[in-house]
Amino acid sequence: MTTETITEAIRAEKTQRVGWRGWAALVVLMLPVLLVSVDNTVLSFALPAIALDLEPTSAQQLWIIDAYPLVLAGLLVTMGTLGDRFGRRRMLLIGATGFAAVSALAAFAPNAELLIAARALMGVFGAMLMPSTLSLLRSIFTDRDQRRFAIAVWASMFSAGAALGPIVGGILLEHFAWGAVFLMAVPVLVPLLLLAPILVPESRDPNPGRIDPISIVLSLATMIPIVYAIKELAVHGVASLAWVWFAVGIVFGWLFVRRQLKAETPMLDMRLFQNATFSGALLVNLLSVVGLVGFLFFVAQHLQLVVGLSPMVAGFALVPGLAAMIASGLIVVPIAKRVPPRIVVPAALTFSVLGYVAVAFATGPESLALLIGAFVSLGIGIGAAETVSNELILASAPPAKAGAASAVSETAYELGAVLGTAVLGGILTALYRANLVLPAGLPVEAAHAAGETLAGAVHAADEIGGSLGAAVQDAAAHAFDAGVGTTALIGAGLVVLAAVIAAMTLGRRRS
């Protein structure tokens, strides 16, 4: 294809602006985005009720949480590629049907084993949903200005879902049994199943090539051990077998990349990563999610266990930051039309750095207002950076490979969420244990519980009561907040790294 032909194609694409039907399709596609992102955080609020009802072992409790993101992360690339081949709308509808059905089964699981199995199946169908939504936006909104706005809405809904999880969980669990957090998928996905065939056009890769089962297996063998290793490091530390799992994932990842480079029609075109804009936007995406999820991890604990708010009130305290995240993602759209991304993204992430620095000094029960302001500042930066980086990821990939590019972007999201909890959460836990100085005279069991987590310390303090219990709670709060100060500065450093990557890579033009 000549340069003139490419130029004409780009001009033609820019003139294809959608009408009301395209915007209605956007509303429909936001339903699964919001649901899947809420599902990432809502379960932690239901876990105590599940533990009382089903009586899972400690290992089963971990798998109830981990089965979903492990399977989801492992299958994203595969499902994105299958959507390119068989139809992205078709994959979306299959995923929505399966996710709603399995969610209903999970709500009434009679034991921990069936709940774990249901969570794993939810990961399978969730992996069909997410790449399909983003790649369908790429095919519906061919005009880049409209696409920027559509992706701003998409990124805002994804981030909003993560922050809404605690609010939704608190409200549902205050009035219903734990199964309600799974049943909410049904009324959300039924409108999607009814309206998507009418409003959302089908799209696929016109030259998909053959299915490569070996590549599918290799992609699973790469992602699942790596994600599992990160979670093991967070729970058991460097002395665990996590490094073995990580090495296994790296080996299979090398085999996967080698096979893709040799294949005539690869499952994932590795040449995408040679594009500086694509790779840079992907890293910005990942580090931004690490910053967001890491922030939510320790701020949620501080609000509930140090400040003393209920889960629902703590969730509502995050609403201003959520609103700022959504607003900044939308406001950045006209700005990104005129200002290069290498300037817009670092400037936006400066707000996130300031938010983290504020958290480093926001300690004690009286710090509520400062924490809310810090989350607003963080949300401004993350919302804008996610919108611009996601749009660049899709714009840098050929339209026919939108599903694969979307899947890579979604994988960065999932890895970012895991790393946010594992890295920043793991550092915070280690610092908490190192800084904790318990008063003398504690029972052995209470001292052990307090030495593990802040929640364990608060529970032990409530059981002991009196001045000794108050001393335990004060010591735990002091140790936790000391750890938050250091962890927040590390989080600020990660956001600075994202800003540097953006400044160095997002200014490159595509070949």
Side-chain angles (χ1 to χ4, degrees), residues 126-320:
M128 296 181 187
L129 290 172
M130 294 309 293
S132 297
T133 59
L134 193 54
S135 55
L136 283 167
L137 290 185
R138 176 68 177 84
S139 61
I140 293 171
F141 295 92
T142 54
D143 177 82
R144 189 163 186 181
D145 291 341
Q146 289 187 323
R147 186 167 67 237
R148 279 197 185 100
F149 184 83
I151 290 176
V153 175
W154 184 93
S156 298
M157 289 302 101
F158 198 95
S159 300
L164 278 173
I167 301 172
V168 173
I171 293 173
L172 288 176
L173 294 171
E174 196 163 304
H175 298 93
F176 306 102
W178 60 264
V181 301
F182 297 110
L183 283 177
M184 68 176 180
V186 177
V188 172
L189 292 177
V190 166
L192 170 72
L193 292 171
L194 294 174
L195 296 174
I198 301 171
L199 297 172
V200 179
E202 183 62 282
S203 71
R204 56 172 56 88
D205 184 349
N207 300 297
R210 64 183 182 85
I211 297 177
D212 184 3
I214 296 176
S215 290
I216 293 174
V217 172
L218 288 175
S219 69
L220 286 169
T222 299
M223 291 305 307
I224 290 178
I226 289 175
V227 176
Y228 182 72
I230 294 169
K231 288 182 172 290
E232 282 291 291
L233 282 172
V235 176
H236 301 295
V238 295
S240 66
L241 293 175
W243 297 110
V244 176
W245 287 107
F246 192 79
V248 169
I250 293 297
V251 169
F252 280 111
W254 176 77
L255 292 173
F256 175 80
V257 171
R258 184 181 178 187
R259 185 172 183 84
Q260 303 317 297
L261 292 174
K262 291 183 176 181
E264 290 184 12
T265 53
M267 173 179 161
L268 178 63
D269 190 350
M270 304 308 297
R271 290 173 296 180
L272 288 172
F273 297 95
Q274 296 175 354
N275 185 318
T277 298
F278 181 89
S279 297
L282 201 64
L283 287 173
V284 170
N285 201 334
L286 184 145
L287 290 171
S288 296
V289 176
V290 170
L292 173 63
V293 174
F295 187 97
L296 290 172
F297 176 81
F298 53 72
V299 168
Q301 292 188 71
H302 180 94
L303 291 175
Q304 294 179 61
L305 302 175
V306 177
V307 179
L309 303 181
S310 69
M312 187 169 65
V313 175
F316 279 114
L318 300 176
V319 168

Side-chain angles (χ1 to χ4, degrees), residues 353-429:
V353 173
L354 292 175
Y356 258 121
V357 172
V359 169
F361 301 100
T363 57
E366 70 285 351
S367 59
L368 178 59
L370 185 56
L371 279 174
I372 292 174
F375 187 43
V376 168
S377 185
L378 181 94
I380 291 171
I382 299 297
E386 286 295 308
T387 294
V388 177
S389 63
N390 274 297
E391 198 279 330
L392 287 173
I393 289 170
L394 285 188
S396 301
K401 301 298 181 184
S406 303
V408 173
S409 177
E410 289 298 327
T411 304
Y413 261 101
E414 291 301 319
L415 283 178
V418 171
L419 286 169
T421 302
V423 175
L424 296 180
I427 291 171
L428 176 58
T429 301

Side-chain angles (χ1 to χ4, degrees), residues 26-109:
L26 173 63
V27 173
V28 172
L29 291 175
M30 290 308 97
L31 294 173
V33 172
L34 194 60
L35 177 66
V36 172
S37 57
V38 165
D39 199 74
N40 281 335
T41 54
V42 72
L43 187 64
S44 58
F45 279 77
L47 195 60
I50 293 172
L52 289 174
D53 187 20
L54 302 184
E55 298 182 351
T57 65
S58 58
Q60 287 175 330
Q61 281 195 176
L62 288 175
W63 278 110
I64 288 172
I65 295 176
D66 292 347
Y68 173 77
L70 280 174
V71 176
L72 181 70
L75 284 172
L76 280 170
V77 173
T78 297
M79 295 303 182
T81 305
L82 291 178
D84 286 341
R85 178 183 180 86
F86 295 112
R88 293 146 190 162
R89 188 183 67 181
R90 178 179 295 176
M91 291 296 289
L92 178 69
L93 294 175
I94 294 172
T97 303
F99 197 94
V102 176
S103 294
L105 291 175
F108 301 102

